[in-house]
Amino acid sequence: MPLKNKLNQYELDTALAVLRDKRLPLSGLQQKTVAVSGGGDLHRAIVYSLLHLNEEKQLNMKVVSVGERIPTLYEDDDFAVKELAELESVDFFIESGFLRYTDADDTDGFSSCIDRAMRVTSALAQVKLQRVILLSSSAVYGTPDSEMSLSENEYADASYALDNLSAIALQCVENIFAGAAHMHGFAVTTLRSAMLIAPFDKLELTEKYLKPLTEDKKLTFAPHGRKTTFVYINDLLTALYYGMLLCSDNEVYNVGGEGDYSPLMLAAVTEELFGADVSIADDGLRPHGCAVNCDKLKKLGWTPLVNAKDGILIAKNALEGSDKVFMFSDSYDGKLKAVQHTLLGFLKEVDRICRKHHIKYFLGGGTLLGAVRHKGFIPWDDDADVMMLREDYEHFLTVLPYELPNYITNQNTEEANHFAFTKLRLNDTILSTEFSARFENLHNGVFLDVLAQDKTSNKRFSQKLHMKMTAQLRWLVLNKWRGTPMNANNRFVSFVGDVIKAIFPLKVLEKMQNRMMTRYNKKDTGVLYDSMGRNVERGAYPEEWLKEAVYTDFEDTKLPIPKEWDKYLSYLYGDYMDMIPVSERHVSHEIVRIDLGRFIDY
């Protein structure tokens, strides 16, 4: 069974994180052995990430969990469980144990930290290895005297005091590993994590902040305190791969997310996100650590992708263990459900018109996927698509002038419109995307897209050329319309495109585009392609997949989908039951302005 089928949505999101960074030379892990030590939830998250990467990229890695059996996994060719003393040869050794929360406010906690460092490094002296990745903490810096963001060599006050034992302990740990590397001939790369946001036991933020939130306890924050940098688990794991593949030997790198928070700022975010009962007191929550500068790691190309607010929201939901599909609730100023209700009204109007005039149509794209997977809209989806065969599409356009209610406009009738497909817009509303907001004379209401599916050649070379030419002409029209230069992968192609744009008027380019899309429609080729949509280069598919429509549940009604919906969705999305990662479940359009007017309760 693939690992992704064993993980919940939050674990899978974290396991997928490294695959979103296109700068990492992941082939450098080919046939490597990676040992993970430290125990606990963070240890398991690292193992899941490595094994999922191994499956996806077929790297033939060997992952060793040191001293930690993981119930969801069994030992096989790419995974094993060993004790530290059993290790013989590894390429990378990842030590994660020093990020677990231990208030080093007494000598016992301090001693156990140092003892662990000595045990691990003594064992590593007997192991043939390439590099150790030590996960440390920004608590190593101590307590800054001012609101400065500390770089790797800028230690703050860490004098011997109970509230600074954590800093002293971590400094000792880092020195022990550095000394062992020098003595035994391996490299060590140290990653100092900012305050880690993750639903893991034995993390400070979990114990003092996330758990009380899930238990509806009142949270008390300190009225003062220096800012602390936070980092979400996904970004820390991505940094871990930078540590293995791009960071220098025997160097230290800070790892932190975007934005720093003081205790009062964290209190405000808590109230905003959860409506929690918060109060202020001198003995309130004041996270360890400080603000850190991460420029050294960013210079290598690492960029945090999950901000602290999103991370806190995800981590709290993960800690609660709910099976409910996660999504961010603040989309469109909290109006996403209202937008979806208006889109449902659109769909019902299209269905009414098509039933009346015997026009065959289907839900398309993400709307079709939502119908199959969610019995309605994908929870974070903000638009709706329907698709038709070309002859049905042309028939549909002929009946629109006298069938559309007066509160819906067919944007094809606007002189300023140059979309290749039909957009229906809701009057007296505004839903301006980053693109459509450029054109003040264009209707910018809530919209539904109607797309034709055209025929293409059944000969491989002609088919590929047809789709390529369709895509290029659509880009020519789009770039001419918005006044931007061509940006093809090839400089010569971009130059030729800009020359063509300069020579031909927009209406001529549109005619060329439309002729190209419909070039094979009079031939019985038996194959279709998504000429108007975003899948123009996805390839052809059999015309018979859209031969028949069947009605299925969609929200509070029934709407048509292709009878061969499984084949079509597999062609479009691959494993279409896989949802996008949790941390990316924001709406798909960049909205500049939204105003639903009287349709707020549509």
Side-chain angles (χ1 to χ4, degrees), residues 343 346-347 350 353-354 359 361-362 364 367 383-401 404 408-414 417-426 442-443 445-454 474 481 510 513-514 517 530-534 589:
L343 293 174
F346 263 124
L347 290 168
V350 169
I353 295 169
C354 290
I359 298 170
Y361 85 99
F362 313 88
T367 314
D383 63 0
D385 299 322
V386 300
M387 60 179 178
M388 305 171 181
L389 297 175
R390 174 63 72 164
E391 57 267 31
D392 294 307
Y393 178 81
E394 298 294 348
H395 185 190
F396 181 72
L397 294 185
T398 63
V399 303
L400 280 186
L404 277 183
I408 296 178
T409 292
N410 175 7
Q411 197 154 39
N412 284 358
T413 61
E414 294 184 81
N417 172 61
H418 300 287
F419 287 114
F421 47 89
T422 295
K423 271 188 180 289
L424 302 180
R425 296 273 191 178
L426 189 63
L442 196 68
H443 194 318
V446 176
F447 58 90
L448 176 143
D449 294 336
V450 184
L451 303 99
Q453 303 292 294
D454 287 301
R474 284 184 57 187
W481 181 17
E510 284 185 288
Q513 166 196 262
N514 294 335
M517 289 193 298
D530 186 22
S531 57
M532 292 182 172
R534 286 172 288 187
H589 292 97

Side-chain angles (χ1 to χ4, degrees), residues 147 221 224-228 230 260-267 287:
E147 291 293 346
F221 295 86
H224 50 77
R226 293 166 181 81
K227 289 182 180 179
T228 300
F230 292 83
D260 305 326
Y261 288 82
S262 67
L264 284 180
M265 293 168 70
L266 188 58

Side-chain angles (χ1 to χ4, degrees), residues 156-174:
D157 176 30
S159 59
Y160 189 79
L162 291 181
D163 61 348
N164 268 328
L165 277 179
S166 295
I168 299 169
L170 284 169
Q171 288 177 22
C172 291
V173 167
E174 291 185 12

Side-chain angles (χ1 to χ4, degrees), residues 78 105 125 127 167 204 231 252 322 332 356 382-383 439 472 479 513 556:
D78 65 350
D105 55 2
V127 180
E204 177 180 352
V231 64
V252 177
S322 172
Y332 289 175
K356 179 177 178 179
D382 58 357
D383 63 0
F439 312 105
Q472 292 297 331
N479 283 279
Q513 166 196 262
D556 63 357

Side-chain angles (χ1 to χ4, degrees), residues 53 64 98 132 174 247 258 268 291 305 382 448 471 511 518 551 576 595:
L53 176 65
V64 179
F98 297 100
V132 172
E174 291 185 12
C247 290
E258 296 296 336
L305 297 179
D382 58 357
L448 176 143
K511 286 182 180 179
T518 59
Y551 274 75
Y576 57 84
D595 188 336

Side-chain angles (χ1 to χ4, degrees), residues 9 107 160 237 314 386 429 531:
Q9 59 182 327
T107 54
Y160 189 79
L237 288 193
I314 296 169
V386 300
T429 65
S531 57

